[in-house]
Amino acid sequence: MNPQKADMIPSYFPQGDLVGVLTTQPLDRLLDYKAPEGGCHLGAFVEVPLGPRKVLGVVWGPGQGDYDHAKIRSVIRVLDVAPMRQEMRDFLTRAADYTLTPMPAMLRLGTRAPGLGDAPSMRKVYRLGPRDPDRKTAARDKVLGVLRDYGGLAFTLGELAEAADVGTSVVKGLVAQGAVLEEDAPRDTPYPRLDPDYGGKALNPDQAAGAAALRTALRKDGYGTTLLKGVTGSGKTEVYLEAVAEALRMGKQALVLLPEIALSGEFIERVEARFGMRPAEWHSGVTMTERRRCWRMVGQGDAQLVVGARSALFLPFQNLGLIVVDEEHDTSYKQEDGVLYNARDMAVLRAALCGAQVVLASATPSLESWANAQAGKYARLDLTARFGAAVMPEMAAIDMRVEELPQGRWVSPTLRDAIADRLEKGEQSLIFLNRRGYAPVTLCRACGHQIGCDHCDARMVEHRFQNRLMCHQCGETKPIPVICPACGAADKLAAVGPGVERMGEEVAALFPQARIAVLSSDLYGSARAMKAHIAEIAQGGTDIIIGTQLVAKGHNFPHLTLVGVIDADLGLQGSDLRAAERTFQLMRQVAGRAGRAATPGAALLQTYQPDHPVIHAILNGDEESFWSAEATERRAAGVPPYGRMAGIILSGPDLKALFDLGNDMARRDAPLARIGAQVFGPAPAPIARVRGKHRLRLLVKADKSAPLQSALAQWVAQFRLPANLRLAIDIDPQSF
Ligand code: ADP
Ligand code: ZN
C-alpha cells in the first residue's frame, strides 16, 4: 500500500471519546458525539443522529464537551471510505475563508459522492441482456436505448429508470424476459493502470523544452505554478501530457480540468492514445455509478488520472502531484451558483496545500495569470509556433459600414465570396455568432412591444427548432404567440436580429448545395449526442459549421480553413471593464479554429468599428502589447488583478426592501473604511431579475494587500436580513 498511509491518520478516538463533527447541515458549529464502538479516526466520514434524522459528517477534531456528557449521543457508524486527509480539511477551510462560504456548504462539495454511505456489495446493477423482449413498447425501448447508448455500463435500478424516464417495473419486466440482466454490483473496480511510456509523440524543440521544464518542476517535489501559453494548435496538450506522464512515473496522481464537458470525449481519446488506457472521468455527464467509482478509487489511490470539471478539485486525492487547468481563462471555471468559487484559483490553493504543481494552459491567458507570470509568481512557458506546418490564420476585418446588405441578412458579400471559395475547394468554413436560438428579440411591429420573460429582466429568445420562446436566464419557455400580448394586434410579431438558427437559414439559402450544421449547446438532447455530432463534423462530414461559443473551445476541426465572425463588436458593448479582455480572448480562440492542419486558414471579422483598439489588437495579434495596455488601465482603475474586488448580491422579491438594505449597507461601511476599501452601489446586478427575484449588487474595491475577507465578514455581520432576502458574497466577481 501507499507508504503515506500512516501519516494520513494523525489521530484516533477510542470508543466513548468525544469527537467534534462537521456536518453538511447549515449549522455554524461542530457537533459533539461519542466515538462509536471500534472508535474512529480524525477525518472519518460518519453518520450521526441530528434530531430525528441521520446526517453525514466528518470527524473534524476532539469534542468540546461543554454540556452534559450523559446526553451526548454516539456516532451511528463510520462509513467504509478512507478518512478525509488533513490537507483536504485544510483546503476546505481555506477555501471557505477565501470565498466567505460557511463550512457545511464547503463540506458538501467535498462529499458529493453518490452512495457514499452505501455498502458496496449490497447493490444490484442492470445491464443489456442477450434477448429481445417478446413485445416492444415505447417504455421498454427507452430502457434498452439507454443501455445501448452507454455501451456496457451497468446502472442501478433507480438510475436506469430515471435515465429512461420510466417506472422501475418496466425494468423488472425486461429482467423477467432476459432482455436486461440483473447482477450483483461488482465492488467498485480500480481503473486500469496508465502507462506513462505508451504513446508519447516526438516533440519539437519548443515542446521538448517545455516538457523538460515541467518535469524538473515536478521532480522538485513541491508547489509551483506554470503558465503554459501558446496559440491554439501549438501543441500545449502534448506538453502537459508529458507532465502528467512524469507525475505517473513518480507514483503521483494527476488531475486535468477542462472547461466544457463537450470537450472531454475527444480529450479522453487522446489520453487513451497517449497512455494506453482511459482515465477516470468526473463531470455531470458521467453516470452516478461511475462517479461513485471515481470518488472511491481516487480516495484509495486507484485512479491515477482524473479528467474532470471544476468540482473534481474536491475529490479526495491521496497523493496529488499535478493539476492542469486547460483553457485557464475560460469563464466557466467560475461557479456562479451556490458556492461562488473560481476553479483556477482554487486549483492553485489546493496545489499549494499539498505540494503539487499546477499548469495553467491557454492561448489567451486571463489577465490575472498573465500578471502573476509577469510578477514572477508563476513560471511561464511559451510555445510560439503552431505545430508542424500549420500557421496562424490570416486575420482581416470586414468593414460593415461599406458592405451592401439587405435588411434581415447578416452575411456580407465579402464573407459570402470567401465561403464560396472554400466550398469549391472542398474545405470547411465556420460561421461564428455567439447567440443561441433564432432571434434575440421578438418585436411587435404595431406597438413596439418586445416579449420578455415573466420572471426575469430578459427578453425571450425565439428557438425555432423547438418552436418556442425561451428565457436564457431561467430557462422558462412559452409558445411563440401570434397575437401581441401588449396591443392585441394579430400577425404583427417579428423576429429581430440574428441567432445561430437564423444564420443557418440564411447560409442554406445562399449555399443550397452545401452540407450545413448548426452547433449550439441547446440543440442536443444529451452531451453524448453533441459529442457524436462534433466528431462527425471533425471528420469532414460538413461544409459549413454555424456555431456559438461552443465551437470556440478546444475542438479540432482539421478540415476547417475559414472562420467568419458575424458580429465581432458584440462583446464590446456595455460598461464591463473585462469586455476588452473577453472579446480579445474569444475572437483569438475562434480564429484559432481555422487552418490547424497543413492548409493555411483565414479569419474574417465583420465589424462596424474596424478602428477600435481591441479589434486592432485582435487583427494584428500583438498580444503582449494588448495585455500591457489592459494592465495599465486596470492598474490605474485599481481593479483586479491590481486591486481586490467583491460583489455583494442581494436578492429577493421586494425591490424596495433590497434597496433599503443596500443603502443601509453602503452607509454603515466602517469596517470597510478601516481597511481603505470603497463601496459602490447598490445598483441592479448584471442580471437584475431572475426567476421572479430582483437582484441588486454592491461592489467593494480594496487594495491588493488589504484584509478584504475579514472586513467583509465584519461589515456584513452588522445587518439583519429580513426573511426572504438573500445575501451572497462573490469574491473576485467576473464582471465589474
Ligand atoms: P494545443 O493544445 O496547443 O491546441 P495540441 O496539443 O492539441 O495543441 O496540438 C495540435 C495538433 O498537433 C494536434 O492534432 C496534436 O496531435 C498535434 N501535435 C502536437 N504536437 C505534436 C507532436 N510533437 N507530434 C505529432 N503531433 C503533434
Ligand atoms: Zn426568465
Side-chain angles (χ1 to χ4, degrees):
M1 287 304 291
N2 196 301
Q4 288 200 327
K5 257 207 165 127
D7 58 43
M8 224 176 86
I9 303 159
S11 182
Y12 172 79
F13 302 93
Q15 179 174 7
D17 268 21
L18 286 192
V19 292
V21 173
L22 175 67
T23 72
T24 53
Q25 304 304 304
L27 304 164
D28 58 3
R29 67 202 148 82
L30 301 183
L31 300 176
D32 277 3
Y33 292 95
K34 287 176 188 153
E37 194 184 330
C40 58
H41 293 286
L42 183 63
F45 287 86
V46 291
E47 201 171 78
V48 293
L50 184 66
R53 291 184 304 151
K54 294 177 189 173
V55 301
L56 177 69
V58 169
V59 175
W60 213 257
Q64 297 296 309
D66 48 10
Y67 60 92
D68 188 356
H69 200 269
K71 284 195 190 139
I72 294 176
R73 299 204 268 176
S74 265
V75 166
I76 299 170
R77 67 190 178 100
V78 177
L79 305 185
D80 179 26
V81 290
M84 185 182 278
R85 298 162 57 83
Q86 180 72 47
E87 78 190 31
M88 186 65 169
R89 282 180 277 131
D90 290 346
F91 173 54
L92 295 179
T93 307
R94 294 276 298 272
D97 288 348
Y98 187 83
T99 57
L100 288 169
T101 301
M103 278 307 286
M106 214 66 220
L107 181 64
R108 253 174 267 141
L109 289 178
T111 52
R112 277 220 292 228
L116 190 59
D118 294 1
S121 56
M122 299 295 288
R123 306 157 3 125
K124 297 280 184 201
V125 292
Y126 298 79
R127 62 172 78 243
L128 203 58
R131 273 191 289 280
D132 281 335
D134 53 6
R135 196 172 47 80
K136 293 203 164 195
T137 65
R140 287 177 169 183
D141 278 348
K142 280 201 244 171
V143 174
L144 297 174
V146 167
L147 289 174
R148 273 187 214 110
D149 265 6
Y150 284 92
L153 211 80
F155 286 75
T156 65
L157 185 60
E159 284 168 7
L160 181 54
E162 191 186 319
D165 195 19
V166 300
T168 51
S169 60
V170 179
V171 178
K172 291 285 188 184
L174 287 165
V175 171
Q177 305 201 347
V180 169
L181 296 180
E182 181 183 72
E183 299 169 346
D184 283 332
R187 293 189 74 91
D188 296 305
T189 43
Y191 291 88
R193 305 291 294 175
L194 305 181
D195 179 358
D197 302 310
Y198 181 81
K201 294 199 161 91
L203 302 180
N204 70 25
D206 255 10
Q207 287 178 311
L214 294 178
R215 276 196 294 268
T216 308
L218 275 160
R219 285 283 165 196
K220 277 200 211 118
D221 228 2
Y223 161 74
T225 295
T226 303
L227 174 61
L228 175 60
K229 183 181 170 315
V231 293
T232 323
S234 58
K236 296 184 292 298
T237 311
E238 298 301 332
V239 172
Y240 73 63
L241 287 180
E242 289 314 305
V244 171
E246 190 67 0
L248 300 185
R249 281 185 205 108
M250 294 166 69
K252 296 200 167 182
Q253 291 172 299
L255 168 63
V256 176
L257 294 180
L258 301 179
E260 188 79 39
I261 64 160
L263 296 178
S264 68
E266 203 178 312
F267 186 80
I268 298 282
E269 273 154 37
R270 258 179 104 166
V271 170
E272 191 174 358
R274 174 63 186 80
F275 298 114
M277 291 291 166
R278 294 169 75 83
E281 276 184 80
W282 177 272
H283 52 73
S284 58
V286 169
T287 62
M288 295 290 211
T289 314
E290 194 55 26
R291 259 191 275 175
R292 167 196 145 87
R293 174 186 178 208
C294 181
W295 199 91
R296 288 184 181 241
M297 291 305 126
V298 165
Q300 65 189 58
D302 286 321
Q304 296 161 284
L305 170 60
V306 178
V307 174
R310 57 188 178 219
S311 58
L313 275 177
F314 296 91
L315 288 170
F317 288 97
Q318 222 203 26
N319 189 12
L320 186 59
L322 173 69
I323 307 176
V324 176
V325 185
D326 200 4
E327 310 282 350
E328 68 89 31
H329 62 279
D330 198 294
T331 51
S332 64
Y333 281 123
K334 179 72 185 281
Q335 168 142 320
E336 299 283 8
D337 253 349
V339 179
L340 308 178
Y341 70 94
N342 188 319
R344 178 194 62 220
D345 303 339
M346 290 303 121
V348 171
L349 174 62
R350 179 111 169 74
L353 290 172
C354 69
Q357 288 287 317
V358 180
V359 175
L360 305 176
S362 175
T364 51
S366 59
L367 191 59
E368 274 78 358
S369 298
W370 182 84
N372 278 329
Q374 207 65 2
K377 277 194 224 159
Y378 296 171
R380 177 168 163 174
L381 293 171
D382 282 77
L383 301 181
T384 44
R386 284 195 141 185
F387 181 75
V391 288
M392 253 327 252
E394 294 254 340
M395 313 256 298
I398 298 176
D399 185 346
M400 295 303 281
R401 297 169 305 185
V402 301
E403 296 275 328
E404 305 257 333
L405 256 182
Q407 178 79 32
R409 292 283 176 274
W410 289 274
V411 178
S412 64
T414 306
L415 181 56
R416 186 193 61 213
D417 293 347
I419 299 171
D421 173 61
R422 296 315 188 284
L423 269 178
E424 218 158 86
K425 295 190 195 142
E427 296 169 6
Q428 275 181 338
S429 304
L430 165 69
I431 309 287
F432 178 79
L433 176 64
N434 205 12
R435 261 193 187 144
R436 293 183 287 134
Y438 184 83
V441 180
T442 302
L443 177 83
C444 174
R445 292 231 183 276
C447 73
H449 175 72
Q450 300 183 1
I451 298 189
C453 176
D454 299 336
H455 316 286
C456 306
D457 184 20
R459 298 194 196 102
M460 295 296 273
V461 176
E462 178 174 345
H463 283 250
R464 203 160 275 193
F465 288 177
Q466 280 127 323
N467 198 22
R468 299 194 58 93
L469 297 176
M470 187 196 291
C471 169
H472 287 183
Q473 231 60 269
C474 72
E476 175 88 356
T477 69
K478 55 185 170 192
I480 302 172
V482 234
I483 292 174
C484 172
C487 74
D491 297 323
K492 285 288 183 197
L493 290 168
V496 178
V500 276
E501 294 176 11
R502 191 172 208 174
M503 292 311 304
E505 258 181 34
E506 181 176 343
V507 171
L510 287 172
F511 304 104
Q513 75 288 15
R515 293 166 302 170
I516 296 170
V518 176
L519 260 179
S520 174
S521 54
D522 56 298
L523 298 178
Y524 298 96
S526 68
R528 270 181 75 81
M530 180 161 83
K531 279 189 213 167
H533 193 200
I534 289 174
E536 187 193 311
I537 291 171
Q539 300 289 318
T542 304
D543 301 314
I544 305 174
I545 307 160
I546 297 161
T548 57
Q549 175 147 310
L550 183 68
V551 298
K553 300 181 180 178
H555 301 292
N556 257 323
F557 297 122
H559 305 283
L560 187 70
T561 60
L562 172 69
V563 168
V565 175
I566 293 298
D567 188 354
D569 309 331
L570 197 56
L572 291 174
Q573 297 146 8
S575 58
D576 189 340
L577 274 169
R578 283 202 213 254
E581 180 186 357
R582 291 280 147 67
T583 302
F584 183 79
Q585 286 163 340
L586 187 58
M587 292 299 117
R588 297 287 303 176
Q589 294 276 337
V590 176
R593 298 294 110 208
R596 287 175 58 101
T599 326
L604 299 175
L605 275 60
Q606 298 194 153
T607 171
Y608 285 92
Q609 19 182 0
D611 298 322
H612 194 292
V614 174
I615 300 286
H616 261 288
I618 294 166
L619 293 179
N620 65 27
D622 184 357
E623 306 180 33
E624 293 305 317
S625 52
F626 171 75
W627 276 314
S628 301
E630 268 299 292
T632 309
E633 269 189 35
R634 300 258 193 109
R635 194 180 272 119
V639 297
Y642 303 99
R644 306 203 50 198
M645 290 201 94
I648 312 295
I649 309 275
L650 304 175
S651 60
D654 179 356
L655 190 58
K656 178 167 182 309
L658 293 179
F659 266 110
D660 287 348
L661 177 64
N663 286 323
D664 194 25
M665 290 181 75
R667 259 191 314 273
R668 289 159 59 195
D669 67 345
L672 295 172
R674 270 199 290 281
I675 63 158
Q678 288 170 280
V679 185
F680 302 91
I687 301 168
R689 194 162 71 103
V690 179
R691 295 183 194 94
K693 295 222 165 77
H694 297 281
R695 290 157 50 92
L696 289 187
R697 184 169 78 163
L698 294 124
L699 274 175
V700 176
K701 192 172 96 174
D703 278 355
K704 184 106 181 132
S705 58
L708 181 60
Q709 273 85 350
S710 57
L712 281 172
Q714 282 175 36
W715 176 51
V716 166
Q718 301 178 108
F719 305 96
R720 275 208 37 229
L721 299 191
N724 81 18
L725 196 156
R726 263 183 48 93
L727 181 153
I729 300 179
D730 182 8
I731 302 287
D732 307 328
Q734 290 280 314
S735 61
F736 43 77

